[in-house]
mmCIF file of all heavy atoms in Angstrom:
data_model
loop_
_atom_site.group_PDB
_atom_site.id
_atom_site.type_symbol
_atom_site.label_atom_id
_atom_site.label_comp_id
_atom_site.label_asym_id
_atom_site.label_seq_id
_atom_site.Cartn_x
_atom_site.Cartn_y
_atom_site.Cartn_z
ATOM 1 N N VAL A 1 37.209 36.289 14.961
ATOM 2 C CA VAL A 1 36.680 36.765 13.691
ATOM 3 C C VAL A 1 36.003 35.620 12.931
ATOM 4 O O VAL A 1 34.957 35.770 12.337
ATOM 5 C CB VAL A 1 37.812 37.380 12.836
ATOM 6 C CG1 VAL A 1 37.323 37.689 11.442
ATOM 7 C CG2 VAL A 1 38.353 38.621 13.504
ATOM 8 N N ASP A 2 36.618 34.482 12.934
ATOM 9 C CA ASP A 2 36.100 33.348 12.177
ATOM 10 C C ASP A 2 35.946 32.156 13.110
ATOM 11 O O ASP A 2 36.917 31.543 13.525
ATOM 12 C CB ASP A 2 37.080 33.022 11.048
ATOM 13 C CG ASP A 2 36.584 31.940 10.129
ATOM 14 O OD1 ASP A 2 35.605 31.249 10.477
ATOM 15 O OD2 ASP A 2 37.178 31.793 9.062
ATOM 16 N N ASP A 3 34.710 31.830 13.475
ATOM 17 C CA ASP A 3 34.477 30.747 14.431
ATOM 18 C C ASP A 3 34.727 29.371 13.835
ATOM 19 O O ASP A 3 34.900 28.404 14.555
ATOM 20 C CB ASP A 3 33.038 30.819 14.953
ATOM 21 C CG ASP A 3 32.823 32.061 15.803
ATOM 22 O OD1 ASP A 3 33.788 32.475 16.468
ATOM 23 O OD2 ASP A 3 31.712 32.617 15.779
ATOM 24 N N ILE A 4 34.732 29.256 12.498
ATOM 25 C CA ILE A 4 34.946 27.952 11.876
ATOM 26 C C ILE A 4 36.438 27.605 11.873
ATOM 27 O O ILE A 4 36.838 26.529 12.285
ATOM 28 C CB ILE A 4 34.390 27.943 10.438
ATOM 29 C CG1 ILE A 4 32.875 28.191 10.495
ATOM 30 C CG2 ILE A 4 34.695 26.621 9.744
ATOM 31 C CD1 ILE A 4 32.256 28.449 9.143
ATOM 32 N N HIS A 5 37.266 28.534 11.403
ATOM 33 C CA HIS A 5 38.722 28.337 11.382
ATOM 34 C C HIS A 5 39.385 29.547 12.034
ATOM 35 O O HIS A 5 39.827 30.459 11.348
ATOM 36 C CB HIS A 5 39.226 28.181 9.947
ATOM 37 C CG HIS A 5 38.699 26.971 9.258
ATOM 38 N ND1 HIS A 5 39.136 25.709 9.555
ATOM 39 C CD2 HIS A 5 37.763 26.824 8.297
ATOM 40 C CE1 HIS A 5 38.507 24.836 8.809
ATOM 41 N NE2 HIS A 5 37.659 25.486 8.030
ATOM 42 N N PRO A 6 39.471 29.579 13.354
ATOM 43 C CA PRO A 6 39.992 30.776 14.016
ATOM 44 C C PRO A 6 41.506 30.918 13.987
ATOM 45 O O PRO A 6 42.035 31.879 14.483
ATOM 46 C CB PRO A 6 39.510 30.606 15.454
ATOM 47 C CG PRO A 6 39.436 29.127 15.633
ATOM 48 C CD PRO A 6 39.030 28.567 14.290
ATOM 49 N N THR A 7 42.206 29.968 13.414
ATOM 50 C CA THR A 7 43.664 30.019 13.474
ATOM 51 C C THR A 7 44.294 30.181 12.095
ATOM 52 O O THR A 7 43.737 29.785 11.080
ATOM 53 C CB THR A 7 44.228 28.743 14.125
ATOM 54 O OG1 THR A 7 43.863 27.628 13.332
ATOM 55 C CG2 THR A 7 43.718 28.572 15.544
ATOM 56 N N PHE A 8 45.464 30.777 12.121
ATOM 57 C CA PHE A 8 46.312 30.908 10.943
ATOM 58 C C PHE A 8 47.609 30.185 11.267
ATOM 59 O O PHE A 8 48.133 30.318 12.370
ATOM 60 C CB PHE A 8 46.653 32.374 10.668
ATOM 61 C CG PHE A 8 45.492 33.226 10.281
ATOM 62 C CD1 PHE A 8 44.650 33.751 11.238
ATOM 63 C CD2 PHE A 8 45.249 33.505 8.943
ATOM 64 C CE1 PHE A 8 43.582 34.550 10.877
ATOM 65 C CE2 PHE A 8 44.180 34.296 8.575
ATOM 66 C CZ PHE A 8 43.347 34.821 9.546
ATOM 67 N N LEU A 9 48.126 29.465 10.331
ATOM 68 C CA LEU A 9 49.436 28.867 10.497
ATOM 69 C C LEU A 9 50.421 29.767 9.758
ATOM 70 O O LEU A 9 50.242 30.033 8.565
ATOM 71 C CB LEU A 9 49.446 27.457 9.913
ATOM 72 C CG LEU A 9 50.623 26.577 10.302
ATOM 73 C CD1 LEU A 9 50.653 26.369 11.812
ATOM 74 C CD2 LEU A 9 50.531 25.240 9.594
ATOM 75 N N VAL A 10 51.418 30.272 10.460
ATOM 76 C CA VAL A 10 52.395 31.187 9.883
ATOM 77 C C VAL A 10 53.774 30.545 9.991
ATOM 78 O O VAL A 10 54.169 30.069 11.052
ATOM 79 C CB VAL A 10 52.380 32.550 10.618
ATOM 80 C CG1 VAL A 10 53.429 33.481 10.038
ATOM 81 C CG2 VAL A 10 50.998 33.174 10.542
ATOM 82 N N ALA A 11 54.497 30.536 8.888
ATOM 83 C CA ALA A 11 55.844 29.959 8.871
ATOM 84 C C ALA A 11 56.820 30.976 8.295
ATOM 85 O O ALA A 11 56.490 31.730 7.379
ATOM 86 C CB ALA A 11 55.875 28.685 8.034
ATOM 87 N N LEU A 12 58.006 31.006 8.857
ATOM 88 C CA LEU A 12 59.097 31.839 8.360
ATOM 89 C C LEU A 12 60.292 30.915 8.151
ATOM 90 O O LEU A 12 60.724 30.232 9.081
ATOM 91 C CB LEU A 12 59.432 32.941 9.366
ATOM 92 C CG LEU A 12 60.472 33.961 8.935
ATOM 93 C CD1 LEU A 12 59.934 34.792 7.780
ATOM 94 C CD2 LEU A 12 60.831 34.856 10.099
ATOM 95 N N ILE A 13 60.787 30.874 6.917
ATOM 96 C CA ILE A 13 61.901 29.992 6.571
ATOM 97 C C ILE A 13 62.970 30.820 5.874
ATOM 98 O O ILE A 13 62.703 31.445 4.851
ATOM 99 C CB ILE A 13 61.441 28.849 5.628
ATOM 100 C CG1 ILE A 13 60.278 28.083 6.239
ATOM 101 C CG2 ILE A 13 62.613 27.938 5.289
ATOM 102 C CD1 ILE A 13 59.563 27.177 5.253
ATOM 103 N N SER A 14 64.165 30.834 6.425
ATOM 104 C CA SER A 14 65.297 31.512 5.793
ATOM 105 C C SER A 14 66.353 30.478 5.432
ATOM 106 O O SER A 14 66.739 29.668 6.272
ATOM 107 C CB SER A 14 65.909 32.564 6.725
ATOM 108 O OG SER A 14 65.072 33.665 6.834
ATOM 109 N N ARG A 15 66.799 30.522 4.184
ATOM 110 C CA ARG A 15 67.807 29.587 3.701
ATOM 111 C C ARG A 15 69.002 30.381 3.189
ATOM 112 O O ARG A 15 68.858 31.203 2.287
ATOM 113 C CB ARG A 15 67.225 28.729 2.579
ATOM 114 C CG ARG A 15 66.044 27.891 3.004
ATOM 115 C CD ARG A 15 65.354 27.226 1.817
ATOM 116 N NE ARG A 15 64.535 28.135 1.059
ATOM 117 C CZ ARG A 15 63.227 28.354 1.283
ATOM 118 N NH1 ARG A 15 62.627 27.749 2.263
ATOM 119 N NH2 ARG A 15 62.549 29.177 0.519
ATOM 120 N N ARG A 16 70.157 30.130 3.775
ATOM 121 C CA ARG A 16 71.375 30.820 3.353
ATOM 122 C C ARG A 16 72.107 29.946 2.341
ATOM 123 O O ARG A 16 72.270 28.745 2.541
ATOM 124 C CB ARG A 16 72.264 31.088 4.562
ATOM 125 C CG ARG A 16 73.486 31.909 4.235
ATOM 126 C CD ARG A 16 74.266 32.231 5.484
ATOM 127 N NE ARG A 16 75.361 33.126 5.171
ATOM 128 C CZ ARG A 16 76.421 33.268 5.935
ATOM 129 N NH1 ARG A 16 76.527 32.608 7.065
ATOM 130 N NH2 ARG A 16 77.379 34.083 5.583
ATOM 131 N N SER A 17 72.556 30.565 1.278
ATOM 132 C CA SER A 17 73.262 29.826 0.233
ATOM 133 C C SER A 17 74.624 29.345 0.729
ATOM 134 O O SER A 17 75.302 30.024 1.500
ATOM 135 C CB SER A 17 73.457 30.726 -0.989
ATOM 136 O OG SER A 17 74.266 30.079 -1.951
ATOM 137 N N ARG A 18 75.024 28.191 0.234
ATOM 138 C CA ARG A 18 76.354 27.667 0.576
ATOM 139 C C ARG A 18 77.434 28.308 -0.283
ATOM 140 O O ARG A 18 78.621 28.190 -0.016
ATOM 141 C CB ARG A 18 76.386 26.155 0.421
ATOM 142 C CG ARG A 18 76.152 25.683 -0.981
ATOM 143 C CD ARG A 18 76.032 24.154 -1.031
ATOM 144 N NE ARG A 18 75.563 23.711 -2.324
ATOM 145 C CZ ARG A 18 76.357 23.497 -3.373
ATOM 146 N NH1 ARG A 18 77.648 23.699 -3.286
ATOM 147 N NH2 ARG A 18 75.850 23.089 -4.508
ATOM 148 N N HIS A 19 77.017 29.000 -1.352
ATOM 149 C CA HIS A 19 77.969 29.661 -2.247
ATOM 150 C C HIS A 19 78.311 31.042 -1.690
ATOM 151 O O HIS A 19 77.425 31.834 -1.423
ATOM 152 C CB HIS A 19 77.391 29.819 -3.656
ATOM 153 C CG HIS A 19 76.992 28.525 -4.276
ATOM 154 N ND1 HIS A 19 77.912 27.608 -4.732
ATOM 155 C CD2 HIS A 19 75.774 27.982 -4.493
ATOM 156 C CE1 HIS A 19 77.282 26.566 -5.212
ATOM 157 N NE2 HIS A 19 75.982 26.762 -5.084
ATOM 158 N N ARG A 20 79.553 31.326 -1.506
ATOM 159 C CA ARG A 20 80.071 32.629 -1.059
ATOM 160 C C ARG A 20 79.586 33.044 0.321
ATOM 161 O O ARG A 20 79.414 34.218 0.607
ATOM 162 C CB ARG A 20 79.774 33.728 -2.074
ATOM 163 C CG ARG A 20 80.576 33.551 -3.354
ATOM 164 C CD ARG A 20 80.590 34.728 -4.271
ATOM 165 N NE ARG A 20 81.042 35.982 -3.726
ATOM 166 C CZ ARG A 20 82.301 36.319 -3.452
ATOM 167 N NH1 ARG A 20 83.271 35.457 -3.626
ATOM 168 N NH2 ARG A 20 82.594 37.524 -3.012
ATOM 169 N N ALA A 21 79.338 32.071 1.180
ATOM 170 C CA ALA A 21 79.017 32.404 2.569
ATOM 171 C C ALA A 21 80.306 32.881 3.229
ATOM 172 O O ALA A 21 81.390 32.404 2.911
ATOM 173 C CB ALA A 21 78.465 31.187 3.297
ATOM 174 N N GLY A 22 80.191 33.846 4.105
ATOM 175 C CA GLY A 22 81.396 34.329 4.766
ATOM 176 C C GLY A 22 81.118 35.433 5.742
ATOM 177 O O GLY A 22 79.990 35.891 5.903
ATOM 178 N N MET A 23 82.164 35.873 6.389
ATOM 179 C CA MET A 23 82.079 36.904 7.403
ATOM 180 C C MET A 23 81.964 38.286 6.753
ATOM 181 O O MET A 23 82.561 38.539 5.711
ATOM 182 C CB MET A 23 83.351 36.843 8.255
ATOM 183 C CG MET A 23 83.243 37.499 9.584
ATOM 184 S SD MET A 23 84.686 37.105 10.598
ATOM 185 C CE MET A 23 85.932 38.114 9.830
ATOM 186 N N ARG A 24 81.198 39.146 7.391
ATOM 187 C CA ARG A 24 81.040 40.507 6.886
ATOM 188 C C ARG A 24 82.406 41.184 6.770
ATOM 189 O O ARG A 24 83.276 40.972 7.604
ATOM 190 C CB ARG A 24 80.143 41.280 7.857
ATOM 191 C CG ARG A 24 79.752 42.613 7.312
ATOM 192 C CD ARG A 24 78.736 43.260 8.191
ATOM 193 N NE ARG A 24 78.439 44.551 7.604
ATOM 194 C CZ ARG A 24 77.705 45.460 8.167
ATOM 195 N NH1 ARG A 24 77.173 45.232 9.328
ATOM 196 N NH2 ARG A 24 77.494 46.600 7.574
ATOM 197 N N TYR A 25 82.580 41.995 5.779
ATOM 198 C CA TYR A 25 83.823 42.701 5.423
ATOM 199 C C TYR A 25 84.878 41.764 4.834
ATOM 200 O O TYR A 25 85.869 42.213 4.299
ATOM 201 C CB TYR A 25 84.436 43.481 6.592
ATOM 202 C CG TYR A 25 83.542 44.556 7.127
ATOM 203 C CD1 TYR A 25 83.182 44.589 8.462
ATOM 204 C CD2 TYR A 25 83.032 45.550 6.288
ATOM 205 C CE1 TYR A 25 82.346 45.573 8.950
ATOM 206 C CE2 TYR A 25 82.194 46.527 6.764
ATOM 207 C CZ TYR A 25 81.854 46.540 8.093
ATOM 208 O OH TYR A 25 81.029 47.513 8.580
ATOM 209 N N LYS A 26 84.680 40.441 4.919
ATOM 210 C CA LYS A 26 85.632 39.510 4.327
ATOM 211 C C LYS A 26 85.091 38.927 3.026
ATOM 212 O O LYS A 26 85.849 38.528 2.162
ATOM 213 C CB LYS A 26 85.938 38.360 5.295
ATOM 214 C CG LYS A 26 86.640 38.790 6.562
ATOM 215 C CD LYS A 26 88.030 39.260 6.314
ATOM 216 C CE LYS A 26 88.960 38.105 6.124
ATOM 217 N NZ LYS A 26 90.306 38.483 5.805
ATOM 218 N N ARG A 27 83.757 38.846 2.911
ATOM 219 C CA ARG A 27 83.147 38.260 1.716
ATOM 220 C C ARG A 27 82.111 39.240 1.188
ATOM 221 O O ARG A 27 81.106 39.490 1.819
ATOM 222 C CB ARG A 27 82.488 36.935 2.097
ATOM 223 C CG ARG A 27 81.850 36.211 0.972
ATOM 224 C CD ARG A 27 82.818 35.509 0.079
ATOM 225 N NE ARG A 27 83.461 34.440 0.822
ATOM 226 C CZ ARG A 27 84.461 33.729 0.366
ATOM 227 N NH1 ARG A 27 84.926 33.957 -0.825
ATOM 228 N NH2 ARG A 27 85.001 32.794 1.085
ATOM 229 N N ARG A 28 82.382 39.800 0.015
ATOM 230 C CA ARG A 28 81.513 40.813 -0.597
ATOM 231 C C ARG A 28 81.351 40.534 -2.085
ATOM 232 O O ARG A 28 82.150 39.824 -2.683
ATOM 233 C CB ARG A 28 82.115 42.220 -0.427
ATOM 234 C CG ARG A 28 82.266 42.674 1.004
ATOM 235 C CD ARG A 28 80.942 42.927 1.615
ATOM 236 N NE ARG A 28 81.073 43.881 2.706
ATOM 237 C CZ ARG A 28 80.088 44.198 3.505
ATOM 238 N NH1 ARG A 28 78.907 43.663 3.360
ATOM 239 N NH2 ARG A 28 80.259 45.070 4.469
ATOM 240 N N GLY A 29 80.333 41.127 -2.675
ATOM 241 C CA GLY A 29 80.188 41.127 -4.122
ATOM 242 C C GLY A 29 79.775 39.805 -4.736
ATOM 243 O O GLY A 29 79.174 38.956 -4.102
ATOM 244 N N VAL A 30 80.136 39.657 -6.017
ATOM 245 C CA VAL A 30 79.743 38.521 -6.835
ATOM 246 C C VAL A 30 80.985 37.719 -7.217
ATOM 247 O O VAL A 30 82.095 38.255 -7.220
ATOM 248 C CB VAL A 30 78.986 39.029 -8.098
ATOM 249 C CG1 VAL A 30 79.920 39.773 -9.039
ATOM 250 C CG2 VAL A 30 78.235 37.930 -8.816
ATOM 251 N N ASP A 31 80.804 36.432 -7.530
ATOM 252 C CA ASP A 31 81.930 35.646 -8.032
ATOM 253 C C ASP A 31 81.755 35.393 -9.532
ATOM 254 O O ASP A 31 80.775 35.840 -10.135
ATOM 255 C CB ASP A 31 82.097 34.335 -7.241
ATOM 256 C CG ASP A 31 80.979 33.329 -7.460
ATOM 257 O OD1 ASP A 31 80.125 33.529 -8.356
ATOM 258 O OD2 ASP A 31 80.945 32.333 -6.717
ATOM 259 N N LYS A 32 82.681 34.667 -10.129
ATOM 260 C CA LYS A 32 82.661 34.459 -11.580
ATOM 261 C C LYS A 32 81.464 33.646 -12.058
ATOM 262 O O LYS A 32 81.138 33.643 -13.245
ATOM 263 C CB LYS A 32 83.963 33.806 -12.042
ATOM 264 C CG LYS A 32 84.180 32.427 -11.489
ATOM 265 C CD LYS A 32 85.508 31.851 -11.931
ATOM 266 C CE LYS A 32 85.764 30.559 -11.194
ATOM 267 N NZ LYS A 32 85.818 29.400 -12.000
ATOM 268 N N ASN A 33 80.759 32.954 -11.148
ATOM 269 C CA ASN A 33 79.581 32.161 -11.506
ATOM 270 C C ASN A 33 78.265 32.903 -11.260
ATOM 271 O O ASN A 33 77.197 32.330 -11.463
ATOM 272 C CB ASN A 33 79.576 30.841 -10.733
ATOM 273 C CG ASN A 33 80.783 29.993 -11.051
ATOM 274 O OD1 ASN A 33 81.160 29.858 -12.217
ATOM 275 N ND2 ASN A 33 81.406 29.455 -10.031
ATOM 276 N N GLY A 34 78.351 34.136 -10.770
ATOM 277 C CA GLY A 34 77.141 34.905 -10.508
ATOM 278 C C GLY A 34 76.581 34.729 -9.112
ATOM 279 O O GLY A 34 75.488 35.212 -8.816
ATOM 280 N N ASN A 35 77.299 34.046 -8.226
ATOM 281 C CA ASN A 35 76.859 33.892 -6.839
ATOM 282 C C ASN A 35 77.256 35.122 -6.041
ATOM 283 O O ASN A 35 78.404 35.564 -6.114
ATOM 284 C CB ASN A 35 77.508 32.657 -6.200
ATOM 285 C CG ASN A 35 77.142 31.388 -6.919
ATOM 286 O OD1 ASN A 35 75.974 31.093 -7.119
ATOM 287 N ND2 ASN A 35 78.149 30.636 -7.335
ATOM 288 N N VAL A 36 76.306 35.676 -5.282
ATOM 289 C CA VAL A 36 76.623 36.846 -4.465
ATOM 290 C C VAL A 36 76.914 36.404 -3.035
ATOM 291 O O VAL A 36 76.413 35.380 -2.564
ATOM 292 C CB VAL A 36 75.493 37.905 -4.486
ATOM 293 C CG1 VAL A 36 75.308 38.473 -5.871
ATOM 294 C CG2 VAL A 36 74.195 37.367 -3.935
ATOM 295 N N ALA A 37 77.710 37.191 -2.342
ATOM 296 C CA ALA A 37 78.094 36.886 -0.972
ATOM 297 C C ALA A 37 76.883 36.966 -0.039
ATOM 298 O O ALA A 37 76.021 37.825 -0.200
ATOM 299 C CB ALA A 37 79.179 37.859 -0.508
ATOM 300 N N ASN A 38 76.848 36.023 0.891
ATOM 301 C CA ASN A 38 75.859 36.003 1.974
ATOM 302 C C ASN A 38 74.414 36.108 1.469
ATOM 303 O O ASN A 38 73.601 36.837 2.020
ATOM 304 C CB ASN A 38 76.189 37.076 3.004
ATOM 305 C CG ASN A 38 77.539 36.808 3.631
ATOM 306 O OD1 ASN A 38 77.811 35.723 4.113
ATOM 307 N ND2 ASN A 38 78.419 37.797 3.575
#
């Protein structure tokens, strides 16, 4: 389509919070500081 710049650089970055990380069914909801699970 574009002979000058035929490429696109695509990045996907996922960052999981260290607050309230846990296993499903064991860590749910919000804590007293407003951090949500997972």
Side-chain angles (χ1 to χ4, degrees):
V1 172
D2 185 347
D3 293 328
I4 298 170
H5 296 286
T7 62
F8 294 82
L9 194 61
V10 178
L12 185 66
I13 305 166
S14 287
R15 299 171 284 269
R16 185 176 186 201
S17 173
R18 63 187 169 85
H19 302 287
R20 291 193 56 75
M23 199 170 74
R24 189 172 179 188
Y25 299 124
K26 295 292 282 177
R27 181 77 66 187
R28 298 290 205 186
V30 69
D31 69 9
K32 64 182 172 116
N33 299 316
N35 299 307
V36 296
N38 298 308

